[in-house]
Amino acid sequence: MAVESEGAVENNGVVRTAMGFGSIMNNSYGIGRMGIWRMDEMGGQATPLHRMDARIKILTVFIFIGFVMSFPRYEISALMPFFLFPLVLMGRAGIPPSYIFKKVLIASPFALAVGIFNPWLDPAPMIRVGGIFVSGGWLSFLSILIRFSLTVSVALTLLACTGIQRLCDGMGRMGVPQVLVVQLQLLYRYLFVVVEEGGRLGRGLALRAGPRSRITLRTYGALVGHLLLRSLDRAQRVYQAMASRGYTGETRMMHPPVLRRVDLLFLVGWVLFFGVARYWNLAGQMGRLLIGGGR
Amino acid sequence: MHMADALMSPAVGGVMWAISGGLLAWCSRQVRRLLNDRMIPMMGVLGAFIFAAQMINFSIPGTGSSGHLGGGLILAALLGPYAAFIVIASVLTVQALFFADGGLLALGCNIFNLGFFPAFVAYPLIYKPLVKSTQGGLRFWMGAIGAAVVGLQLGAFCVVLETTLSGISDLPFSTFVWMMLPIHLAIGVVEGVATGAVVLFVLKARPGLLGEPVDSATPPGGGRKVIIGLLAATLIVGGVVSWFASTHPDGLEWAMAKVKGKNTLESQAGMSEKLADIQATTAFLPDYGFKKSEPSQGESSSWPAPSAGTSVSGLVGGLLTLVLAVGAGWLLRAKGRSKTMES
Amino acid sequence: MSHHLIEARDVWFAYPQGADVLRGLSFRITHGEAVGLIGCNGAGKSTLLMHLNGFLTPRCGEIRIGDTPLTAQTVAAARRAVGVVFQDPDDQLFMPTVAEDVAFGPLNLGLPLDEVAQRVGAALERVGMTSVRERPPYKLSAGEKRAVAIATVLAMMPDILVMDEPTSSLDSRGRRRLIELLRGFEHTRIIATHDLELVVEICSRVLIMDEGRIVADGPARTILGDRELLHAHGLERPHSLSHAHAHTAE
Ligand SMILES: Nc1ncnc2c1ncn2[C@@H]1O[C@H](COP(=O)(O)OP(=O)(O)OP(=O)(O)O)[C@@H](O)[C@H]1O
Ligand SMILES: [Mg+2]
């Protein structure tokens, strides 16, 4: 979570090349413009899927992940039908699958880093494809890869087909404590502002220190400390703005009160599909039908 | 060190969600009870600050790598543990949603691993008593680095526990522990140093800001509760560790045993129902007969699922399903896309 | 009793561990006046404005809103009467969408939802920002942000509008629109600014601040035309008044 070597791919998709001041700018622009900004535009669309009650989507997504994770560790083919869910959501919400796919590729590789050991630790051959024996380790690693793509793409799709505001709103109505919901909203609201401020500070430093130099610890303390002080000052001003409009610690929200029958159908329909796909290996059946040898 | 959905079983994910959810609810109540209304915007902006701060790196001398702030400790020092926990949870949530760091079901784990230990263990038990009102010096750095290291070690240890209990990864517990803890020792030192540097700057620039967290009015018996909770956690963790230690004295041995054991174990359970398919499939795909290409190892039936047919049909079917899913998504895509915003 | 009246009586103030920033400052602004508050950097303008809705309390002296002194008991009422537009609209727009932001204040007043909706609509209409109502604030231009920030304050229906540097970071078109908007208000207005042309166009009266004191108080044209006075306090006569012919707006 805190150390990266040079050139490592950061989890927000920004490739760190040089470590100097220039990288500060690259990173802040990377996150602000490419990453979050684009996602924000996706989430802000107005397709029927976007406008659907966020609670339903959150619930369905969690059930989906639960089903995917419940498969035994060597499962591969039976997981395939589950790709239908994120793909249909992307289709209905007008999200280019290539966009989500790219984000999946650069998502945090922890699962892969851990999973890659499986082939070494579990070398006993398990199945044979053509003339090649495949060990259990490779199977379970492949399975981890597939689970990874499924869960990551569905998480990203949830946001892209809902938008952070509607998501927060839905969370609030699902009983997530209001303090947390407001916290999320405010964090998101000031993300851009503070990142820009950090970029400005970094550029200011870079102008004085030259682009080649590296950030020493002392400079780092000053830079981040400065950003912290500015953030605290801003928080103070935001508080004043809130207080001058009658804020006393409670935030009331205007909720659009809707839960339509279609929404429930969406939930029930998908959960049924997950159930069927979980207990019958749909892909396996289809393969058998095709290749023959079915029962 | 974000725990990932792909490595987890639903049971572990669910339990950790329940724990983190409970903690969040409790912290929200405490925040409402203890804090003044000034804190709400402060928490929000500080959450954004942590995000921005994580993008700024400093170079670690002599290593060619760089480090940055994790943020948990600084948040606890500024806001107190309850509010800090909520802010960390919100940062992790945004990361999970926007960058798919970890994943949604793993979010419960991540909130616990990365939030609980800095806010409720490292800060009150190590950072606060040591750092107190010092500005630099041995005590200060010991407090900052010690707290960061302990917080991260406990978090990393939990990652290992959660992964092992989920049973998707084959990494043996002890091997995994010996991989994770040294790495996170290094990360912890870096985090502690970064935290210390920022705190020192802030202390000099604006004295009195970090001294007293706004909610330092811990509820009566709060300290004792933390210690009791810690003892309980230690007992549980200790119990699990010793259990693992006794079952798997050595990581590599354990791995071997596991590999060997699987032959007999899995062939009976799990995939056994698929054995029924073998005959039909092999008959249909005669070129893939077992006997010819079989190495001298012995009979194919001693393997867990020696069904080439199943695997081939699984492969074909899987690919086909994927194509169908893509096709369905494409067919079902919305016609008029990207109207900017609903009105 | 009118709320449209605001008064400072011998106000002294110092930040913690600092020298006095406001040093015996007095004025009285009455119904419907538009007052420009000018003075060089660090004169104490922003500090004074923070007193007007009770975020800072004078070390001695008092602020009166309407006919009541501003105290801890009356601060809530004072904040309803005095609407402050902050210098950086990013500080003022903290909700996820423009509409929610404008609704924030009325909701806190405990108004019924339909009246909240009506106020939101009216306030956005007033500043010409109806078209951005569902947009998130970070996707607005500087001028739009400023206009929306004003709408958030208008939705509270204050009697007195207080603004800190309203034209900073606006381009000339945005500035022009803002001036037209401010001119149309019937509220009592107090505008702290370095934009003296803005003062010429909007304000009937000017206060000059220097080192925590009011050093001049009078009709805008008289004061802004007095080159010596302005020069003495680090200010320059606005271009539009430095010609023999007047080319004021309209
Ligand atoms: N939060 C603070 N703590 C301590 N001193 C402050 C603080 N804010 C302002 N000051 C000091 O008070 C004095 C007046 O500042 P103020 O911001 O009121 O001036 P101003 O007239 O608004 O200036 P400007 O035109 O630059 O906005 C300055 O000397 C400033 O350094
Ligand atoms: Mg000012």
Side-chain angles (χ1 to χ4, degrees):
Chain A
M1 159 182 153
V3 175
E4 276 122 29
S5 58
E6 286 193 357
V9 176
E10 238 255 289
N11 48 29
N12 52 28
V14 182
V15 178
R16 293 222 171 110
T17 45
M19 211 52 57
F21 290 98
S23 67
I24 299 169
M25 281 167 55
N26 290 344
N27 286 340
S28 59
Y29 274 83
I31 195 179
R33 302 276 179 234
M34 277 156 40
I36 293 192
W37 204 263
R38 180 89 196 277
M39 187 56 116
D40 201 68
E41 255 146 40
M42 300 262 158
Q45 298 177 83
T47 67
L49 187 60
H50 277 87
R51 273 173 296 170
M52 174 187 246
D53 195 314
R55 288 175 294 177
I56 295 289
K57 284 184 273 187
I58 296 173
L59 203 62
T60 317
V61 161
F62 269 89
I63 294 173
F64 171 87
I65 296 175
F67 268 105
V68 167
M69 284 169 40
S70 74
F71 277 101
R73 55 204 300 263
Y74 296 110
E75 193 53 69
I76 291 173
S77 59
L79 282 165
M80 288 306 186
F82 282 82
F83 276 105
L84 191 68
F85 179 59
L87 284 165
V88 166
L89 288 195
M90 288 176 219
R92 297 302 302 161
I95 305 157
S98 59
Y99 169 71
I100 299 288
F101 180 68
K102 271 184 219 140
K103 292 203 75 147
V104 170
L105 280 186
I106 56 178
S108 163
F110 179 71
L112 309 186
V114 172
I116 192 68
F117 288 100
N118 281 12
W120 278 274
L121 295 169
D122 184 6
M126 186 170 268
I127 61 164
R128 206 175 61 163
V129 180
I132 305 159
F133 293 96
V134 180
S135 71
W138 281 109
L139 278 190
S140 57
F141 178 55
L142 192 58
S143 180
I144 289 177
L145 275 180
I146 294 171
R147 288 160 205 259
F148 176 76
S149 326
L150 280 170
T151 51
V152 165
S153 62
V154 92
L156 294 169
T157 308
L158 171 66
L159 178 64
C161 79
T162 311
I164 186 87
Q165 296 148 30
R166 282 177 283 223
L167 217 50
C168 286
D169 197 56
M171 279 161 58
R173 279 184 289 156
M174 285 174 97
V176 173
Q178 208 211 7
V179 176
L180 185 59
V181 175
V182 171
Q183 163 65 24
L184 272 171
Q185 287 176 333
L186 283 175
L187 186 162
Y188 191 67
R189 168 66 185 91
Y190 286 102
L191 194 56
F192 301 103
V193 178
V194 177
V195 166
E196 285 285 313
E197 214 157 53
R200 277 199 300 274
L201 281 177
R203 255 165 285 155
L205 258 178
L207 282 180
R208 271 178 283 157
R212 300 245 104 211
S213 65
R214 299 166 147 232
I215 303 188
T216 61
L217 189 61
R218 183 179 291 273
T219 332
Y220 175 83
L223 180 63
V224 177
H226 214 80
L227 188 62
L228 176 60
L229 290 181
R230 287 207 191 184
S231 303
L232 288 170
D233 288 343
R234 182 173 298 278
Q236 172 76 9
R237 295 196 301 271
V238 172
Y239 167 70
Q240 287 170 349
M242 291 171 114
S244 61
R245 285 193 272 150
Y247 172 74
T248 53
E250 295 286 317
T251 32
R252 272 172 76 200
M253 291 192 230
M254 288 204 292
H255 291 312
V258 275
L259 185 63
R260 295 160 305 163
R261 179 145 343 117
V262 217
D263 300 353
L264 285 175
L265 265 174
F266 176 92
L267 176 68
V268 173
W270 278 113
V271 172
L272 270 179
F273 171 74
F274 301 154
V276 168
R278 173 69 182 84
Y279 289 104
W280 288 279
N281 182 344
L282 295 180
Q285 310 272 4
M286 191 144 44
R288 248 169 258 134
L289 263 180
L290 228 87
I291 295 190
R295 305 160 203 218
Chain B
M1 196 193 62
H2 291 75
M3 186 65 197
D5 276 357
L7 294 178
M8 290 200 348
S9 71
V12 173
V15 167
M16 293 313 289
W17 251 115
I19 294 175
S20 290
L23 275 171
L24 278 174
W26 178 61
C27 286
S28 306
R29 263 213 312 284
Q30 298 298 323
V31 167
R32 292 192 135 193
R33 203 169 63 78
L34 290 171
L35 306 187
N36 54 29
D37 44 3
R38 232 165 248 271
M39 293 292 292
I40 298 292
M42 186 138 145
M43 287 165 61
V45 177
L46 282 179
F49 160 76
I50 293 298
F51 243 98
Q54 288 186 349
M55 288 181 235
I56 303 174
N57 299 282
F58 64 93
S59 47
I60 303 164
T63 59
S65 52
S66 68
H68 63 75
L69 201 63
L73 266 187
I74 279 227
L75 286 175
L78 282 164
L79 297 166
Y82 306 115
F85 186 75
I86 291 180
V87 175
I88 298 170
S90 72
V91 170
L92 290 170
T93 306
V94 171
Q95 284 175 342
L97 285 170
F98 279 89
F99 311 129
D101 267 355
L104 293 180
L105 207 69
L107 187 56
C109 290
N110 287 324
I111 291 177
F112 184 81
N113 301 346
L114 297 170
F116 179 79
F117 295 116
F120 290 108
V121 179
Y123 170 71
L125 299 181
I126 299 169
Y127 183 91
K128 211 168 149 190
L130 272 179
V131 169
K132 261 186 196 148
S133 52
T134 55
Q135 296 198 16
L138 189 64
R139 261 177 88 91
F140 174 86
W141 287 106
M142 262 170 55
I145 297 178
V149 166
V150 168
L152 268 168
Q153 290 289 310
L154 289 171
F157 187 71
C158 271
V159 169
V160 176
L161 266 188
E162 289 151 5
T163 309
T164 313
L165 289 176
S166 295
I168 306 287
S169 158
D170 273 323
L171 267 183
F173 179 78
S174 49
T175 315
F176 200 8
V177 163
W178 286 118
M179 277 168 53
M180 288 288 276
L181 295 195
I183 296 175
H184 285 87
L185 183 70
I187 298 180
V189 172
V190 169
E191 153 111 39
V193 168
T195 305
V198 175
V199 167
L200 271 189
F201 176 85
V202 171
L203 281 177
K204 295 223 171 81
R206 211 174 289 176
L209 185 70
L210 282 151
E212 196 69 358
V214 191
D215 69 340
S216 65
T218 11
R224 206 180 313 147
K225 250 190 250 165
V226 169
I227 290 173
I228 291 173
L230 225 96
L231 274 177
T234 317
L235 281 178
I236 295 169
V237 169
V240 174
V241 172
S242 56
W243 176 70
F244 266 101
S246 60
T247 331
H248 316 295
D250 174 10
L252 215 65
E253 271 177 38
W254 183 38
M256 298 307 291
K258 209 169 160 197
V259 168
K260 285 185 190 120
K262 201 176 291 136
N263 292 344
T264 49
L265 220 142
E266 298 254 342
S267 60
Q268 294 156 8
M271 325 275 276
S272 65
E273 84 269 26
K274 286 179 184 160
L275 286 169
D277 296 330
I278 300 173
Q279 298 308 0
T281 331
T282 43
F284 212 88
L285 303 165
D287 283 354
Y288 300 120
F290 287 106
K291 302 263 155 56
K292 267 183 258 168
S293 52
E294 188 86 10
S296 59
Q297 264 181 322
E299 293 180 18
S300 58
S301 61
S302 69
W303 292 349
S307 117
T310 307
S311 62
V312 172
S313 63
L315 200 76
V316 172
L319 284 177
L320 193 75
T321 320
L322 196 61
V323 170
L324 283 181
V326 172
W330 187 77
L331 279 177
L332 286 171
R333 77 192 187 285
K335 297 278 146 45
R337 47 161 69 174
S338 59
K339 291 158 250 166
T340 42
M341 281 290 299
E342 69 191 278
S343 55
Chain C
M1 174 195 92
S2 165
H3 270 146
H4 299 234
L5 186 133
I6 196 161
E7 192 177 1
R9 288 186 185 169
D10 192 31
V11 169
W12 289 76
F13 176 81
Y15 285 101
Q17 300 133 5
D20 281 328
V21 175
L22 302 185
R23 301 193 293 168
L25 185 146
S26 303
F27 59 81
R28 180 186 165 91
I29 294 167
T30 51
H31 190 110
E33 271 188 296
V35 179
L37 181 63
I38 60 177
C40 54
N41 290 130
K45 303 181 294 292
S46 300
T47 307
L48 171 61
L49 297 192
M50 298 301 271
H51 280 75
L52 300 184
N53 60 356
F55 285 119
L56 297 175
T57 9
R59 179 159 61 80
C60 60
E62 69 174 6
I63 304 284
R64 297 174 77 90
I65 310 289
D67 294 319
T68 36
L70 211 167
T71 62
Q73 284 74 46
T74 59
V75 72
R79 283 180 189 166
R80 220 166 303 153
V82 181
V84 182
V85 180
F86 288 76
Q87 184 169 349
D88 182 354
D90 271 327
D91 297 338
Q92 195 142 13
L93 307 176
F94 42 79
M95 292 295 280
T97 65
V98 166
E100 282 175 87
D101 216 307
V102 180
F104 180 85
L107 282 174
N108 283 332
L109 294 182
L111 299 174
L113 286 186
D114 51 343
E115 191 181 340
V116 172
Q118 186 265 323
R119 279 201 187 191
V120 171
L124 285 174
E125 177 94 53
R126 189 79 174 80
V127 299
M129 285 291 125
T130 315
S131 57
V132 301
R133 58 174 293 146
E134 295 303 326
R135 292 254 288 277
Y138 50 82
K139 289 196 179 163
L140 302 179
S141 74
E144 289 166 335
K145 274 188 201 170
R146 184 82 56 174
V148 172
I150 294 173
T152 65
V153 172
L154 289 183
M156 296 291 283
M157 303 198 159
D159 304 311
I160 301 162
L161 272 181
V162 170
M163 303 196 192
D164 200 349
E165 316 235 1
T167 50
S168 63
S169 81
L170 292 191
D171 66 4
S172 54
R173 179 142 41 97
R175 181 172 164 277
R176 174 58 37 205
R177 288 189 48 172
L178 182 77
I179 290 176
E180 296 307 326
L181 183 66
L182 294 183
R183 237 209 306 238
F185 286 155
E186 57 294 334
H187 308 75
T188 303
R189 278 150 290 168
I190 303 175
I191 303 167
T193 185
H194 296 291
D195 182 351
L196 298 192
E197 301 288 350
L198 168 96
V199 178
V200 171
E201 293 203 39
I202 297 175
C203 301
S204 50
R205 179 178 159 195
V206 166
L207 304 179
I208 298 182
M209 266 187 91
D210 199 359
E211 301 196 334
R213 290 200 190 85
I214 303 283
V215 291
D217 180 353
R221 310 208 124 255
T222 322
I223 291 196
L224 293 179
D226 188 338
R227 183 197 295 240
E228 275 73 50
L229 175 68
L230 291 174
H231 205 76
H233 300 290
L235 300 163
E236 264 180 33
R237 190 155 63 155
H239 173 76
S240 60
L241 294 183
S242 58
H243 296 285
H245 65 278
H247 55 149
T248 51
E250 278 154 331

